[in-house]
Amino acid sequence: MSRKGKVLVAMSGGIDSTVTALMLHHEGYEVVGITMKTWDYATSGGGHKETGCCNLDSFNDARAAAVQHGFPHFILDIREEFGDFVIENFVEEYMAGRTPNPCVMCNTHIKWRALLKRANALNCDFIATGHYANVFRAGNGRYTISKGLDETKDQSYVLWGLDQELLSRTIMPLGKYRKTAIRQMAHDYGYPELAKKSESYEICFVPDNDYRGFLKRRVDGLEANVAGGWFTDKHGKKLGQHKGYPFYTIGQRKGLDIALGKPAYVTAIDPSTNTVVLGDEGDLAQNDMYVTKINWMKYDGVTDGMEAFTKIRYKDKGAFSNLYATENGIRVRFYEHVKSIAPGQSAVFYEGDEVIGGGVIQRGQLI
C-alpha cells in the first residue's frame, strides 16, 4: 500500500500524461494507468488514418511506459458514451447556429465521470490528468482550479464544468511546471523521442480539422437543405448567397466567398431563416451577455455585481466584468466592449488566477 495513496492516471500516450504518471509513480503514489478510446476516426469518413489521442501508436506508447515502470495499465472504450453526448451535442449546436466547445463538454460530462467510476471500481483514492492547471481547496472549504504556471499552456478554461466531487478527487501535477520543464523530465525519464513529439490541437473526432466536412458526413442531406441562404447586413439588406448557416461562426472573416469591397465579419446567425448577418469589425463589439448552465467552483454562488475577469474563448485575453444573478443564469456586463461573443462557447469567470465558475454563453447583447 502506497503511503501517498492509489491514483488512476489518464494516459493518452502523449508527453504530458506520460510525465504525469511517471512523476506520481516516482513520488510514491501507487499508479494505475488508463487510456480512454473516445473515437474511432476510421468510421467518420474523414480520412484513412487515426491521429491525435485515439490511435494505436498512442495506446502502445502509454502501455509501454506503464510496463517499463512496473505499474498496471488498462484501455477503456468509452466511444459509445462519448459519441452519444459529445458528438451529438457538437452537431446539434452547429445546427442551432451556435459554436460548441466539445472539449469542455467531454471533460465535464464524460472523461472525468468515466475516470471516477473506474477509480472507485479499482479502489483508487485519486484520479490524475496531464492538464496545465492546479486544483486546491480554498479557505471556505470549496475546491477550485487555478491557472497553470505556464500561461501559454494554461487549461483552466476548459475545466470550469468539474463539480466539487470530481475536483476533490483530482490531481494535476503539471500545473506547477512550464512545458519546457516537462520536456526535460520526459528526456530524463528516458523518453527523448516523446520529449520531441509534436502536439495536436485538433478536436479529437475531427482530426482533419474540417468541422464543416464532419457535419456534412454526419447530417444526411445537409448541404442541399441549407444551401442558398442569404448574407444580409444588419438592416436586413441582402448581400449575396452563402453555403448554409451551419458552416459559419460569429467573428469569422475568412472563407466567406463574398466581395463587398471591405473586410466583412459574421456578426449574427439565424438558423430559422438560414440567414448570416455580415458587418464591420466594430459590429462585433458588445458589452453584455447572458450565461447559463453555471457551475460554481470557488464560491457557491454570485453576489450581485461581483467583479470577475471573464474569458469568452480559450485563447481570449479576458476582460473585467460585473456578474449579476438572473433566474436561469448570469448576466455579464463588461467594463469595455469585447468582440465576437459566440453563443455556445464557454464563459469562465476568474478572481486573479482562480476560477470562480463558468457557464455556456446563450447570447450577446441583452435585449
Side-chain angles (χ1 to χ4, degrees):
M1 179 67 68
S2 165
R3 60 184 175 82
K4 288 202 170 185
K6 189 175 182 181
V7 57
L8 184 67
V9 182
M11 299 180 68
S12 68
I15 179 172
D16 294 330
S17 60
T18 300
V19 169
T20 293
L22 300 185
M23 185 188 301
L24 294 175
H25 176 67
H26 285 279
E27 286 180 5
Y29 287 91
E30 182 182 352
V31 171
V32 178
I34 191 166
T35 300
M36 292 181 284
K37 184 172 181 62
T38 57
W39 176 247
D40 183 2
Y41 186 49
T43 67
S44 75
H48 60 278
K49 66 175 183 177
E50 293 182 311
T51 62
C53 63
C54 293
N55 65 77
L56 189 58
D57 288 342
S58 294
F59 294 166
N60 289 337
D61 289 345
R63 184 181 292 279
V67 170
Q68 288 167 10
H69 290 267
F71 57 84
H73 174 268
F74 302 95
I75 293 177
L76 177 62
D77 189 338
I78 60 169
R79 284 176 293 177
E80 187 173 333
E81 301 166 61
F82 181 91
D84 286 349
F85 187 85
V86 178
I87 294 174
E88 286 182 14
N89 174 265
F90 182 83
V91 173
E92 288 169 1
E93 287 289 87
Y94 271 114
M95 294 305 295
R98 296 153 58 87
T99 307
N101 196 319
C103 293
V104 169
M105 292 297 103
C106 181
N107 288 333
T108 302
H109 299 284
I110 303 299
K111 281 190 176 179
W112 253 262
R113 287 292 168 195
L115 282 172
L116 188 60
K117 179 180 178 180
R118 276 68 184 193
N120 289 338
L122 293 167
N123 295 315
C124 291
D125 303 288
F126 308 104
I127 55 179
T129 71
H131 286 85
Y132 286 82
N134 299 290
V135 182
F136 68 98
R137 195 172 190 179
N140 59 5
R142 290 181 63 83
Y143 290 89
T144 191
I145 282 177
S146 65
K147 292 180 180 179
L149 175 67
D150 192 335
E151 285 274 355
T152 65
K153 300 298 297 179
D154 171 52
Q155 292 171 293
S156 59
Y157 172 86
V158 298
L159 301 172
W160 65 263
L162 301 182
D163 65 25
Q164 292 295 296
E165 178 191 18
L166 296 173
L167 289 173
S168 71
R169 301 279 295 278
T170 296
I171 301 173
M172 295 180 191
L174 302 196
K176 297 178 176 61
Y177 297 89
R178 298 191 184 280
K179 183 71 177 198
T180 50
I182 299 306
R183 290 195 183 280
Q184 183 61 49
M185 285 186 198
H187 193 278
D188 294 345
Y189 282 135
Y191 298 93
E193 293 306 312
L194 189 61
K196 294 183 287 186
K197 193 174 182 180
S198 61
E199 297 175 274
S200 172
Y201 296 96
E202 300 166 332
I203 298 170
C204 67
F205 55 88
V206 192
D208 52 10
N209 223 19
D210 176 18
Y211 88 86
R212 296 168 181 85
F214 181 81
L215 289 177
K216 293 172 187 176
R217 295 189 294 271
R218 295 288 297 190
V219 182
D220 290 339
L222 177 59
E223 282 185 281
N225 290 334
V226 299
W230 288 96
F231 284 124
T232 72
D233 65 16
K234 59 186 175 183
H235 304 295
K237 178 183 176 182
K238 292 180 178 179
L239 303 174
Q241 291 190 308
H242 59 65
K243 297 176 181 178
Y245 75 87
F247 306 136
Y248 302 91
T249 58
I250 300 295
Q252 181 179 336
R253 181 173 68 87
K254 297 180 179 179
L256 299 179
D257 296 326
I258 186 171
L260 299 177
K262 60 180 181 179
Y265 300 80
V266 175
T267 61
I269 297 170
D270 186 349
S272 66
T273 60
N274 196 11
T275 299
V276 177
V277 181
L278 302 181
D280 300 326
E281 186 175 8
D283 294 324
L284 292 170
Q286 301 171 219
N287 63 2
D288 262 318
M289 68 180 180
Y290 183 56
V291 181
T292 62
K293 301 180 181 178
I294 305 292
N295 179 60
W296 295 115
M297 283 193 180
K298 186 174 182 179
Y299 307 113
D300 60 3
V302 61
T303 56
D304 239 23
M306 175 190 285
E307 183 179 77
F309 192 72
T310 300
K311 293 181 65 172
I312 60 171
R313 66 183 67 84
Y314 179 51
K315 291 297 184 181
D316 181 26
K317 64 179 182 179
F320 282 104
S321 64
N322 291 119
L323 309 182
Y324 301 90
T326 67
E327 185 177 353
N328 296 312
I330 295 294
R331 177 186 181 181
V332 181
R333 170 158 282 181
F334 292 99
Y335 292 0
E336 327 180 317
H337 283 88
V338 297
K339 293 179 180 177
S340 303
I341 296 175
Q345 286 286 290
S346 292
V348 183
F349 315 124
Y350 291 84
E351 189 172 64
D353 288 339
E354 298 170 5
V355 177
I356 300 172
V360 179
I361 300 170
Q362 297 304 315
R363 63 175 185 271
Q365 203 78 27
L366 296 177
I367 299 172

